[in-house]
Amino acid sequence: MKHSYKFTKNFYFIATVVFVVWMLFFDSNDFYSQYQLKAKVEELEDQKVYYEKKIEATEADREALLKDSELLEKFAREKYFMKKDGEDIFVVVEED
């Protein structure tokens, strides 16, 4: 027991314990901050995968629209309510 008591009175041991406690709990890079940053990185990586898939789908749609003029016309009519000259368009909006 006396041997461990002498060990805790050692200046280097006390300095090391204070340093470790400071780094674990009070430093700007403590455990909690690192955990938050890791969670944010994982969230951003998930978003990156999602947007890469959306880009691939959009590029495939773009290629299909550029190759097929009928599909392009259908897309323009449905999405942007475009019409031919002399044509009337009626938009039906459902109310809840």
Side-chain angles (χ1 to χ4, degrees):
M1 183 77 176
K2 273 190 167 185
H3 183 18
S4 65
Y5 183 69
K6 285 182 184 180
F7 185 67
T8 59
K9 281 187 146 183
N10 186 346
F11 170 75
Y12 295 109
F13 176 76
I14 294 171
T16 303
V17 168
V18 169
F19 176 74
V20 168
V21 168
W22 179 265
M23 293 304 289
L24 293 178
F25 300 107
F26 301 113
D27 192 50
S28 63
N29 296 319
D30 60 351
F31 275 139
Y32 183 68
S33 298
Q34 292 299 319
Y35 177 76
Q36 286 180 328
L37 290 173
K38 183 178 178 182
K40 184 69 174 175
V41 166
E42 289 173 358
E43 177 186 341
L44 290 173
E45 286 175 350
D46 291 342
Q47 286 181 359
K48 178 183 174 186
V49 169
Y50 169 77
Y51 286 118
E52 285 175 346
K53 288 180 182 177
K54 291 294 269 185
I55 288 171
E56 289 175 6
T58 303
E59 286 176 352
D61 289 345
R62 180 180 172 266
E63 289 297 320
L65 288 174
L66 291 176
K67 290 180 181 176
D68 189 4
S69 61
E70 290 178 11
L71 186 61
L72 179 61
E73 182 180 343
K74 178 182 175 191
F75 179 79
R77 287 175 177 269
E78 290 176 359
K79 282 281 197 189
Y80 298 108
F81 305 113
M82 293 185 171
K83 63 181 185 110
K84 293 182 181 178
D85 291 334
E87 218 177 32
D88 292 329
I89 296 180
F90 298 98
V91 179
V92 178
V93 179
E94 294 181 16
E95 294 183 18
D96 292 332

